[in-house]
Amino acid sequence: MKTIALNRLNILGIAKGNGLSQAHQLTFLAELAQLGYRITNPEILQEVSSTFLMDYKHLMSTLTKKRGGDVTYVPLFKKFPEQVPNDAVYFSKRIIGYIGNILDLFPDTVALENGIKVPKWLFNLKEFGADPISQMQSKELFDLAAAENISKNGDAHVEWINLRIVHDEDLADELKAYLARLVYSKSSIKEALHEDLYELLDFFGANDLDSDLIVFKETKALLMQYFWKKEEYQAVAQLAKTATDVLRLFAALTGSDVSLNQKIKFPKLPRKARKVVLAILEKSSGLAEDLNKYKGLWLEIGRYLHPFEYSKQYPRTAEVFDALRNGKIETYHSKTEQLLALAEVDALLKHLENKPGVYARKLHEVLRRFPKELDKILASFEKNIAKVALKNLLVMQAYFSEINEAAYRTVVNKKGKMKVLTNNAFAALSELQIDKVMLCIQKAIKTALTDKEPWNEETVWIDPELMNYTIPLQQRKSSDGILTVGKGSRIKTDFSKVLRLFIYWKQTAVRTDLDLSCIQFDEYFNYLGHVSYTQLFSNGIVHSGDVQSAPYGAAEFIDITMSKLKKKVRYLAVQVHKYSGEHFRDMDCHAGWMLRDKATSDIKTFDIKTVANKFDLNGVGGYAVPLMVDIAAQEIISTDLYVSSVQFHNNVEGSVNDVALLCAQLANFTKTRPVIGTLAQAHAAARNAQLTTYKENASITFGVKDCTYNATDVEQILTELI
């Protein structure tokens, strides 16, 4: 539990006691500072038990791992960034080395354990952290470089992370509140948090949770799995409302995808469990529609459920399975398309009113097809708009506000992949249509927020920076790391520092070669150049060298000095290519960025206290685009994308056009997606709060950090504000 509190809440739980001695306090604070952490309430150290020192090793290990300092980083070129060899000269020397090894031409060599013989006159091995000829890792060179790096001084700059001490008796309340935020979230939570959720449920149980507040279907599935394994079937039945809920339960039980975006497995069910499932199906709303949506899977499941054997107890379920088997089910979707094709407006609107969520998704198409029926359509839509989830209203508001101006539309699917679609002229709506739709949506948003607790006596401060943070509505496939923000969010960064990008990976079964790269674009996303393993230099950018295997854990770095970039460069797109080997998610693999005062080879290559963000690379794809840099705005843009490509040999040259298109859309996400700043303003207005321009005068604050509501407190935003 204390590890979860440290990793997720930056809370350090310590038992009450007589306090630490002054010497112990100073030592503890100094060792935290070396890792880039500081305590916001150090006075409480006078009230804690010294027994926490027994867990001191685990504490420091957890904090070290949080920032990526638990592994060893060894670049190919040990004198990076000042002494990186010329590409052409270095490549020529490698060719000589290859030929010499094949023909056994070299008499005076150093033999490495990988079988390569390196001539002393060709390469000075003291300058390399891996074999300079094959660029494969060598244990001897790795260990030597690691030992040398330990002895180096650290950078003067510190990217501080604040920790708060809480007494053990209060820690339980903090963790229970965190559990509630996970469970009551109005949107998907990161898959990386599922383990936390189960550990918290095992520790605290679920008796204090309100099942009526658990609204997100995937989260329901995780809760149902918890109850199912405890054979608390009544609790499962209380949560499961539809046949699709049952499928999500099956997915959770078998470790499949609870979003149902990929093929799922279903468990073997004993007789008692089969009857539980059939009872849920019997009372499910929209049973025929839901079964038909996953027809092949339900036909297969039906052979194990034996619904006809229990037809007397569950007659409706048996009847629907019979219709499913004989193809006699008319779906809601097919009926919708039929009414659209026949242009039967009145019947169509009445039909859509039965499913407000579908109506919201179809509204644009209905308006486009029947422009003369604007008032009738909006009157119909407003009948059930209160049933449309607030998050969907916010998305609609952002969507309709820009639909006529956008040349493209972007869709992020359940896999975390982004598709860019051409927004053709047929998608345009009239200004009158848009104005009336926007008024309708804004009214619904205000109504939804008015139902929350009023802030009549509260004064609210909203940081203008929150207009640069998108609402984190799609967290399912988000990378787990220090900073979690919505895709397309813009993080203000001190560009007077050297920005050092890094990646680390350690292969498990086969040789794996990942490549850290950086593409330069102008303000219109025209290609201006790149830095990668094929080109180690560009103005203001330098690469640490290409390591092509990772049995001991490989690392690559790119240093970016903003003041030295070409004047035309506006954006930098960071990529990690899978050239060969294992997928990102199948090994220990993470990346991030540091901010450095002094980027020289006599300073630690990886200095933990300078790490601004470290995040796991856990997706599947030919390459990842984890972040962008906007030079003019001095902001890092969170992209967190995995892009499908060829299975092997991915590189910058083969992806420039696709990356340009994707990044051009992501650079505009704060204009095309709902942002936290607008949400905060809507809350303040609807809940009747008084706004102030001074943070110190506010009783409720919205900001990036150290506020009542922070841009990085994703679960709180998704639970309390959505």
Side-chain angles (χ1 to χ4, degrees):
M1 292 301 103
K2 290 187 176 183
T3 301
I4 292 176
L6 268 178
N7 281 330
R8 306 304 179 189
L9 306 174
N10 287 332
I11 288 177
L12 174 57
I14 305 178
K16 269 188 178 181
N18 297 324
L20 299 182
S21 68
Q22 188 172 15
H24 275 142
Q25 289 183 45
L26 292 175
T27 300
F28 176 50
L29 294 174
E31 292 193 11
L32 284 179
Q34 289 179 350
L35 301 178
Y37 296 95
R38 57 188 174 191
I39 302 294
T40 58
N41 55 342
E43 67 280 357
I44 206 170
L45 289 171
Q46 301 174 26
E47 305 171 11
V48 303
S49 171
S50 59
T51 57
F52 104 92
L53 296 174
M54 297 173 61
D55 297 326
Y56 189 73
K57 185 175 181 180
H58 175 71
L59 162 67
M60 301 306 285
S61 174
T62 300
L63 293 175
T64 300
K65 184 176 182 180
K66 184 181 177 78
R67 301 188 83 155
D70 58 319
V71 296
T72 302
Y73 298 82
V74 173
L76 176 63
F77 305 128
K78 286 163 59 174
K79 293 188 177 182
F80 162 82
E82 308 101 314
Q83 297 184 33
V84 172
N86 176 275
D87 291 278
V89 173
Y90 177 54
F91 182 71
S92 299
K93 293 173 75 173
R94 288 184 63 208
I95 293 296
I96 293 171
Y98 269 118
I99 294 173
N101 270 269
I102 293 171
L103 301 178
D104 196 20
L105 299 177
F106 304 135
D108 186 18
T109 64
V110 177
L112 300 176
E113 77 272 11
N114 62 4
I116 296 292
K117 296 178 181 179
V118 182
K120 294 179 181 179
W121 54 267
L122 188 62
F123 289 112
N124 180 1
L125 286 179
K126 292 181 180 180
E127 298 177 354
F128 295 89
D131 170 20
I133 296 176
S134 69
Q135 295 181 334
M136 305 291 183
Q137 285 194 310
S138 156
K139 187 69 165 63
E140 178 184 352
L141 297 178
F142 180 89
D143 289 344
L144 180 62
E148 290 176 1
N149 196 56
I150 290 174
S151 65
K152 293 179 182 179
N153 294 323
D155 195 84
H157 181 68
V158 182
E159 283 290 305
W160 292 107
I161 293 178
N162 291 333
L163 302 177
R164 177 165 57 94
I165 297 177
V166 169
H167 287 136
D168 282 351
E169 54 265 40
D170 300 320
L171 183 63
D173 292 335
E174 298 276 1
L175 288 170
K176 282 183 179 179
Y178 175 59
L179 171 61
R181 290 198 294 271
L182 289 177
V183 170
Y184 300 150
S185 172
K186 307 301 192 304
S187 190
S188 56
I189 59 175
K190 284 191 294 189
E191 290 181 351
L193 298 181
H194 291 181
E195 185 177 346
D196 286 356
L197 176 61
Y198 289 133
E199 288 188 12
L200 289 166
L201 286 171
D202 286 338
F203 190 81
F204 292 115
N207 293 334
D208 294 335
L209 297 176
D210 186 343
S211 60
D212 291 335
L213 297 178
I214 306 170
V215 296
F216 195 67
K217 294 176 180 178
E218 293 174 26
T219 306
K220 279 186 178 183
L222 301 178
L223 267 291
M224 286 190 288
Q225 177 193 17
Y226 170 78
F227 289 123
W228 186 277
K229 289 185 174 180
K230 294 169 69 71
E231 297 188 0
E232 296 181 16
Y233 297 128
Q234 186 175 355
V236 174
Q238 190 173 358
L239 287 168
K241 305 297 184 184
T242 68
T244 304
D245 287 341
V246 174
L247 283 188
R248 296 186 196 278
L249 167 62
F250 289 167
L253 288 170
T254 57
S256 306
D257 180 11
V258 293
S259 72
L260 305 182
N261 193 53
Q262 299 170 343
K263 186 176 180 179
I264 72 163
K265 304 173 185 176
F266 57 91
K268 294 181 179 179
L269 301 173
R271 178 178 291 270
K272 182 179 179 181
R274 290 203 303 271
K275 295 180 74 173
V276 170
V277 170
L278 289 168
I280 293 172
L281 296 179
E282 187 71 11
K283 66 178 181 62
S284 294
S285 59
L287 180 60
E289 180 82 15
D290 281 356
L291 261 59
N292 195 73
K293 186 176 181 180
Y294 299 95
K295 181 176 180 179
L297 182 57
W298 274 116
L299 287 174
E300 186 177 356
I301 293 172
R303 290 196 289 271
Y304 294 88
L305 282 178
H306 306 299
F308 306 109
E309 181 181 334
Y310 302 97
S311 59
K312 290 184 178 179
Q313 290 174 271
Y314 312 110
R316 175 170 172 258
T317 303
E319 181 182 346
V320 172
F321 265 99
D322 182 62
L324 182 73
R325 187 175 59 181
N326 293 301
K328 296 180 179 179
I329 295 176
E330 180 185 53
T331 68
Y332 184 88
H333 174 73
S334 64
K335 181 69 173 178
T336 303
E337 295 304 314
Q338 180 185 18
L339 292 173
L340 276 168
L342 294 173
E344 295 182 4
V345 178
D346 291 339
L348 172 66
L349 299 184
K350 187 175 181 180
H351 173 71
L352 287 172
E353 287 171 13
N354 294 320
K355 291 195 174 185
V358 176
Y359 205 157
R361 292 194 294 273
K362 284 285 186 182
L363 183 60
H364 180 196
E365 183 179 0
V366 174
L367 289 168
R368 179 175 61 79
R369 290 205 185 192
F370 311 110
K372 295 181 180 180
E373 304 289 353
L374 174 61
D375 291 336
K376 180 185 288 187
I377 293 168
L378 292 184
S380 167
F381 183 59
E382 282 187 307
K383 288 181 182 178
N384 290 298
I385 196 172
K387 296 179 182 178
V388 178
L390 175 59
K391 65 176 183 178
N392 294 337
L393 292 173
L394 294 167
V395 171
M396 290 178 70
Q397 182 183 42
Y399 174 81
F400 280 105
S401 69
E402 58 82 34
I403 188 61
N404 280 2
E405 286 72 35
Y408 298 93
R409 287 193 299 118
T410 57
V411 177
V412 181
N413 63 24
K414 292 181 179 181
K415 294 180 180 180
K417 302 288 180 68
M418 193 170 88
K419 295 182 178 180
V420 180
L421 308 173
T422 302
N423 200 7
N424 56 53
F426 294 106
L429 299 176
S430 71
E431 291 302 315
L432 178 63
Q433 285 177 308
I434 289 177
D435 288 345
K436 288 197 172 186
V437 169
M438 290 294 287
L439 284 173
C440 175
I441 295 170
Q442 289 163 1
K443 180 181 176 182
I445 291 173
K446 184 175 181 179
T447 300
L449 294 178
T450 303
D451 291 339
K452 294 183 178 290
E453 181 182 353
W455 285 349
N456 296 328
E457 306 298 322
E458 306 290 354
T459 304
V460 171
W461 175 77
I462 302 171
D463 188 342
E465 275 299 306
L466 291 184
M467 299 305 290
N468 286 328
Y469 285 81
T470 61
I471 300 174
L473 293 175
Q474 292 174 305
Q475 287 294 298
R476 181 184 298 105
K477 294 293 183 179
S478 294
S479 297
D480 195 26
I482 296 174
L483 297 176
T484 299
V485 293
K487 201 181 296 291
S489 293
R490 292 168 163 264
I491 303 166
K492 279 290 181 187
T493 306
D494 184 357
F495 279 10
S496 68
K497 309 294 182 186
V498 174
L499 177 65
R500 176 166 288 183
L501 310 170
F502 66 91
I503 179 177
Y504 172 91
W505 74 100
K506 187 173 184 180
Q507 64 199 43
T508 60
V510 298
R511 182 175 75 83
T512 300
D513 179 9
L514 301 184
D515 296 308
L516 181 62
S517 309
C518 180
I519 306 178
Q520 302 168 78
F521 295 111
D522 67 12
E523 61 180 316
Y524 304 108
F525 285 91
N526 296 309
Y527 171 77
L528 295 178
H530 71 270
V531 167
S532 69
Y533 73 93
T534 62
Q535 185 170 317
L536 300 173
F537 294 98
S538 182
N539 293 40
I541 309 177
V542 59
H543 195 289
S544 68
D546 179 27
V547 182
Q548 297 188 18
S549 70
Y552 314 114
E556 293 183 10
F557 300 85
I558 290 178
D559 272 8
I560 303 168
T561 306
M562 304 298 171
S563 61
K564 296 181 180 180
L565 295 175
K566 298 174 186 176
K567 289 185 178 180
K568 288 186 177 180
V569 176
R570 169 66 189 271
Y571 297 103
L572 302 175
V574 179
Q575 294 174 274
V576 181
H577 290 91
K578 191 192 81 167
Y579 189 81
S580 64
E582 300 167 328
H583 287 300
F584 302 111
R585 71 178 183 188
D586 296 331
M587 55 184 170
D588 182 2
C589 182
H590 61 256
W593 72 85
M594 295 174 265
L595 294 174
R596 308 291 292 257
D597 272 342
K598 188 178 181 183
T600 57
S601 59
D602 60 338
I603 303 295
K604 290 182 185 295
T605 310
F606 180 91
D607 187 351
I608 186 172
K609 67 181 185 297
T610 68
V611 174
N613 194 17
K614 171 260 179 183
F615 46 86
D616 294 335
L617 292 175
N618 53 13
V620 174
Y623 59 94
V625 185
L627 61 103
M628 292 167 53
V629 182
D630 185 334
I631 307 299
Q634 297 196 29
E635 294 165 339
I636 287 178
I637 304 173
S638 174
T639 53
D640 197 13
L641 279 179
Y642 295 90
V643 183
S644 299
S645 188
V646 295
Q647 189 69 15
F648 300 109
H649 305 157
N650 294 287
N651 56 25
V652 170
E653 290 83 351
S655 62
V656 167
N657 292 335
D658 289 341
V659 172
L661 182 59
L662 293 171
C663 289
Q665 303 310 305
L666 283 158
N668 210 34
F669 259 32
T670 52
K671 295 181 177 64
T672 62
R673 295 294 192 273
V675 295
I676 298 176
T678 301
L679 176 63
Q681 292 169 356
H683 271 273
R687 300 169 76 171
N688 204 29
Q690 180 71 37
L691 288 174
T692 178
T693 55
Y694 301 101
K695 183 179 179 181
E696 57 271 21
N697 294 338
S699 55
I700 296 175
T701 55
F702 291 83
V704 178
K705 62 180 180 179
D706 301 326
C707 290
T708 312
Y709 299 98
N710 298 307
T712 55
D713 293 340
V714 170
E715 291 76 31
Q716 183 185 25
I717 292 170
L718 295 177
T719 301
E720 298 178 18
L721 298 182
I722 300 296

